[in-house]
Amino acid sequence: MVPVSPPAALGLHTSDVRELVVAAVTSRHTRFAEAHEVSGSRYAMGFGSQWLDLLVDVHDELRRRGYRTYRLPPAGYKLPVVNDCLVYVWRVPGSADAPSSFASSPTRVNVFHAPPLDPTLFEPGYTGEPEPGSSADVDGADLERVVRAATDSVMPLVLVMVRSTPRQLQSITWAVAELDEDAGTVNFHGQESIWTPEAVVANPTTDVEPFDSGTPQGPTVEPQEQEGSEPDA
Amino acid sequence: MRELPPGLFELPRASKVQGAFESARLTQARVRAGKNKADLAREVGVSAAAIGQYESGVNAPRADVLDRLAEALGVRPDFFAVGRPIARIDAVNAHFRSLRSARVSDRQRALATAALLWELTFTLERYVRLPDANLPQIKARMSPSDGAALLRMHWGLADGPVKHLVATAEAHGVVIAVRPLGEIDAVDAFSAIIVDRPIVVTTPRRSENVFRHRFSIAHEIGHLLLHSDSDGHSATVEKEADEFAAAFLTPAASMDVALPQRLDIAALDRLGRTWGVSPHSLVRRMVERGRTTESSARRAYQRLSAVADPTADPTRSYPGEVPTLLRKAAELAADYGVGAPALAEAMKISPGLVRDLLGEKDERPSLRLVSGNR
């Protein structure tokens, strides 16, 4: 059964994974954009080579927090497993139908056929505590996960899609990806944006008065009332 | 019985030595002149031990020696007289910017300048009411960024760039002076609170560029707030003062919105001109806010150095960043008949030194006697 959305797939880990993925992607983008600018390259091949670093960055960050790893054949990429779902970060090519063509290599096809790891009773991670008053129940969620792992033959895939150019990180979205075996295309469930540049690309100086605007309100000095004018008064 | 340590603020009192000689005045004049005891002794024709005895109050100089001391140190003989309040430089806590290069004698010389600035302020206050010092009380162990937020609130500053920093600080009673390089160049910039009056002293090297100047002033205000009780000679307090300055001039919440997504030098330059900070400090802020890496920042610094023009954006082009408090007070005092000569008489120094402390250039022609036998 394919989860209807990334939050449904990742459960209680959703917000932490979202935050971690955004931090990793923006950091990696900044470094490659900087490298592109410094190199003065006319071409974007160097910039595009970040795709493998994206995979490794996110895997390493999640691994550091205790999540398990699935090694994807035949290329052997290490993918993190969160709540018995694979998380794959992909920088989307520029062509219009690119997202649905994700499964364009044997390795990427295999991501849809990854068998669940051996069940564990407790999912690792750095949170897991439900909000006070929440209907979420840790024991219940773990039980559901164990049952799902036992019944499903493959792990769901949460696909993180990054769109960027050397000039700008344009968007980060994610969705649960499902392969249409007959058509060879990928369908998305619960696709949503997890980062957009709008909040930070708006000209930050337009609404702000510069430090030197207006007339300085300097110190006010007044004559002392009780003192005479003679130095020794 | 042990003698009590010297107090910061010495009121007129009976002389510790014979006559009316104030020993601390000799120390003040000597260190301000940048002379050691041996040099002064040679110049005056006494032993170095005698100078030490004068300064420690064990002995007092004879009248003829007093005159020679005054001449050698460029002060009037009655400068050494008791009867005027004096800020003892051995009791002032100050924070110096250039820790590595500052020798004790350099620090003492700078402190002597600060003490004289305080005395000028004190003298002016007999005739002119200055803004009271208005700095918030900082709780122990408060972080620099919290301290910066507290000061913004205490001074009623709106969100956004700190406008006219020097004018604002002076309006809240902080005395700010830019002293010539030869006088305090070894310590670069420093601050002290002398008898409740916060004083910040900086040099043309710091004030040459308005963005560097603002950061330096904010750094010293950070010392005044955070480190008023410490002697301040450590890299840790310097780092805290830098953190304070960054948080005060460019609060994290504002920077999270305003900073570009990547190291775009042109964008940082535009942003810096709005917030009144250098692109360098914004690059540092990007590292602190997780927008870029240390290695990228290093490359950015190299690029900034390659295009830097130290003469661009001089402080003198920004009226709100030029100190005016002491000059305004002196002008008002002069309006009431207390000009530089009267202030000089009260302080027992030369009118030229008063004008110098006020940051005025002495543009009067220099006169000299010429022989009539041509």
Side-chain angles (χ1 to χ4, degrees):
Chain A
M1 188 178 70
V2 178
V4 296
S5 67
L10 300 173
L12 295 171
H13 308 265
T14 302
S15 63
D16 292 330
V17 173
R18 180 195 294 121
E19 187 177 319
L20 182 148
V21 164
V22 167
V25 171
T26 54
S27 170
R28 181 55 63 183
H29 168 83
T30 299
R31 282 177 280 177
F32 269 78
E34 169 80 1
H36 181 83
E37 185 174 308
V38 171
S39 72
S41 174
R42 298 173 181 80
Y43 312 103
M45 283 90 83
F47 180 78
S49 67
Q50 68 180 284
W51 66 270
L52 187 53
D53 284 297
L54 286 172
L55 281 177
V56 174
D57 287 348
V58 171
H59 168 265
D60 288 355
E61 283 298 316
L62 287 168
R63 177 76 187 173
R64 195 170 298 133
R65 286 162 173 77
Y67 292 102
R68 293 189 293 169
T69 295
Y70 176 78
R71 191 178 282 273
L72 184 63
Y77 306 147
K78 293 177 182 174
L79 300 182
V81 178
V82 178
N83 205 39
D84 292 324
C85 297
L86 287 170
V87 177
Y88 192 110
V89 181
W90 178 46
R91 182 171 171 268
V92 182
S95 56
D97 60 347
S100 63
S101 65
F102 170 74
S104 59
S105 72
T107 300
R108 288 200 199 142
V109 167
N110 280 341
V111 81
F112 295 100
H113 301 129
L117 303 180
D118 292 336
T120 58
L121 187 55
F122 298 105
E123 176 72 359
Y126 47 96
T127 59
E129 291 296 326
E131 294 293 324
S134 161
S135 60
D137 178 288
V138 177
D139 292 337
D142 279 330
L143 183 60
E144 179 187 328
R145 184 177 57 78
V146 172
V147 170
R148 192 177 75 200
T151 55
D152 290 352
S153 57
V154 296
M155 285 191 280
L157 171 65
V158 172
L159 187 63
V160 178
M161 291 166 280
V162 178
R163 289 176 172 81
S164 64
T165 69
R167 293 184 59 81
Q168 187 187 27
L169 178 58
Q170 295 162 318
S171 70
I172 307 174
T173 57
W174 67 7
V176 174
E178 182 183 25
L179 179 64
D180 181 335
E181 300 279 0
D182 297 331
T185 58
V186 176
N187 299 319
F188 299 108
H189 304 280
Q191 182 168 339
E192 65 172 337
S193 170
I194 57 173
W195 185 91
T196 57
E198 283 81 10
V200 290
V201 297
N203 186 345
T205 62
T206 51
D207 298 331
V208 178
E209 290 188 7
F211 77 101
D212 57 345
S213 63
T215 305
Q217 298 297 314
T220 304
V221 294
E222 299 170 355
Q224 289 281 12
E225 294 171 2
Q226 302 298 322
E227 298 289 340
S229 60
E230 291 300 314
D232 294 318
Chain B
M1 192 174 82
R2 277 185 64 189
E3 197 172 329
L4 290 173
L8 171 65
F9 181 47
E10 296 280 314
L11 285 167
R13 54 175 169 68
S15 173
K16 288 190 286 189
V17 296
Q18 64 191 57
F21 179 73
E22 171 56 79
S23 57
R25 287 286 177 197
L26 178 57
T27 307
Q28 182 188 27
R30 179 180 61 77
V31 298
R32 186 173 144 70
K35 295 181 178 180
N36 62 34
K37 291 175 186 172
D39 290 341
L40 180 61
R42 215 168 11 252
E43 216 170 321
V44 175
V46 298
S47 67
I51 298 292
Q53 288 175 352
Y54 301 154
E55 292 191 10
S56 61
V58 171
N59 208 345
R62 297 189 312 267
D64 59 319
V65 175
L66 196 68
D67 288 343
R68 293 203 296 276
L69 283 169
E71 188 179 353
L73 297 173
V75 296
R76 297 163 32 161
D78 53 359
F79 177 80
F80 301 112
V82 296
R84 308 185 323 282
I86 175 172
R88 296 183 62 105
I89 61 173
D90 53 352
V92 173
N93 273 343
H95 298 275
F96 295 95
R97 199 71 194 271
S98 299
L99 294 174
R100 290 175 191 148
S101 59
R103 295 173 302 175
V104 171
S105 59
D106 292 328
R107 290 178 188 163
Q108 284 195 325
R109 190 177 183 198
L111 282 178
T113 293
L116 214 49
L117 279 167
W118 173 79
E119 286 177 37
L120 175 61
T121 308
F122 182 85
T123 306
L124 281 167
E125 285 191 283
R126 293 164 67 180
Y127 314 103
V128 177
R129 191 183 311 139
L130 305 181
D132 289 334
N134 181 27
L135 295 176
Q137 289 293 321
I138 296 284
K139 290 179 185 171
R141 297 196 187 90
M142 181 177 273
S143 72
S145 57
D146 287 346
L150 179 63
L151 182 62
R152 271 182 164 260
M153 191 168 65
H154 192 77
W155 282 0
L157 304 181
D159 290 343
V162 177
K163 289 185 180 180
H164 314 298
L165 172 61
V166 168
T168 301
E170 287 189 318
H172 290 282
V174 180
V175 171
I176 298 174
V178 180
R179 298 302 303 160
L181 270 177
E183 196 169 287
I184 62 162
D185 53 345
V187 298
D188 219 11
F190 69 100
S191 54
I193 294 179
I194 304 179
V195 195
D196 296 334
R197 178 62 72 181
I199 295 176
V200 171
V201 182
T202 183
T203 64
R205 182 165 53 224
R206 287 269 165 200
S207 64
E208 183 179 49
N209 175 275
V210 69
F211 305 127
R212 196 169 184 225
H213 174 63
R214 278 168 55 88
F215 196 90
S216 189
I217 296 295
H219 172 105
E220 296 303 331
I221 292 173
H223 278 315
L224 293 173
L225 276 179
L226 301 169
H227 309 127
S228 58
D229 295 331
S230 68
D231 60 5
H233 300 306
S234 80
T236 303
V237 297
E238 294 303 309
K239 186 167 176 285
E240 286 182 354
D242 276 343
E243 289 174 14
F244 174 91
F248 184 64
L249 296 174
T250 51
S254 299
M255 288 301 102
D256 285 346
V257 175
L259 285 171
Q261 280 301 296
R262 63 187 182 83
L263 276 169
D264 180 337
I265 298 298
L268 290 177
D269 186 65
R270 283 195 300 275
L271 192 63
R273 289 181 181 283
T274 299
W275 287 79
V277 294
S278 68
H280 293 79
S281 67
L282 289 176
V283 171
R284 168 60 30 205
R285 213 70 177 116
M286 287 187 72
V287 174
E288 291 165 358
R289 303 310 301 162
R291 289 280 170 92
T292 192
T293 60
E294 289 283 2
S295 57
S296 295
R298 277 195 295 275
R299 288 193 295 275
Y301 293 141
Q302 289 169 356
R303 278 189 286 155
L304 284 169
S305 298
V307 299
D309 176 5
T311 61
D313 305 304
T315 297
R316 64 176 180 277
S317 300
Y318 297 83
E321 308 300 345
V322 177
T324 61
L325 175 59
L326 291 182
R327 207 181 65 239
K328 271 187 179 178
E331 286 170 359
L332 185 61
D335 289 345
Y336 283 78
V338 186
L343 294 171
E345 172 61 29
M347 296 176 67
K348 308 300 180 191
I349 58 176
S350 70
L353 181 52
V354 170
R355 292 191 186 92
D356 177 55
L357 290 170
L358 292 170
E360 296 174 1
K361 286 181 181 170
D362 195 349
E363 293 173 340
R364 297 169 304 165
S366 59
L367 304 178
R368 62 188 174 87
L369 289 173
V370 294
S371 168
N373 301 326
R374 293 202 168 187

